[in-house]
Amino acid sequence: QVQLVESGGGLVQPGGSLRLSCAASGRLFSIYAMGWYRQAPGKQRELVASITSGASTNYADSVKGRFTISRDNAKNTMYLQMNSLKPEDTAVYYCNAAATLPRVADYWGQGTQVTVSS
């Protein structure tokens, strides 16, 4: 089992910055990828950014150049640095981990609210 806890969300003005954190605990050795998803009211949940065990990264076109995903293996923590925030970035952001043990499965955090508004 993997447990994920997000933090760092809040209210920020357009053009501002925010850093989200995802702390992982449990059976971590079988995780092969992690990512950040977001879901706005009335919208589908979408992948924002992902990072593999080999440290390769992928970004949604809407955030490329503005967001950076990273991890600190020593702290079992993943981050999402968000710069030049726009109102359309407003959503609940979820941490995700893909693992193979005890079975192939995705694990999710509880979500953290990001609101970009003046």
Side-chain angles (χ1 to χ4, degrees):
Q1 180 74 291
V2 174
Q3 295 82 45
L4 305 171
V5 179
E6 303 99 331
S7 62
L11 175 64
V12 64
Q13 296 196 23
S17 297
L18 212 57
R19 188 178 76 159
L20 305 183
S21 298
C22 174
S25 61
R27 201 168 186 170
L28 308 180
F29 64 88
S30 70
I31 294 175
Y32 61 89
M34 296 185 71
W36 289 96
Y37 288 73
R38 68 186 181 188
Q39 187 166 27
K43 301 288 187 178
Q44 301 178 77
R45 185 173 297 189
E46 63 175 347
L47 176 66
V48 177
S50 64
I51 185 166
T52 70
S53 59
S56 64
T57 58
N58 185 54
Y59 297 91
D61 288 341
S62 60
V63 308
K64 193 170 296 183
R66 299 188 297 121
F67 291 10
T68 303
I69 189 170
S70 63
R71 69 186 185 200
D72 186 335
N73 290 335
K75 296 181 178 179
N76 295 324
T77 302
M78 179 180 66
Y79 304 96
L80 184 68
Q81 178 66 47
M82 304 184 293
N83 299 325
S84 302
L85 283 161
K86 305 174 181 180
E88 50 263 46
D89 295 319
T90 296
V92 177
Y93 284 70
Y94 296 91
C95 179
N96 167 266
T100 60
L101 295 173
R103 65 190 64 82
V104 176
D106 284 338
Y107 298 87
W108 297 90
Q110 82 287 352
T112 185
Q113 177 71 49
V114 172
T115 302
V116 184
S117 176
S118 59

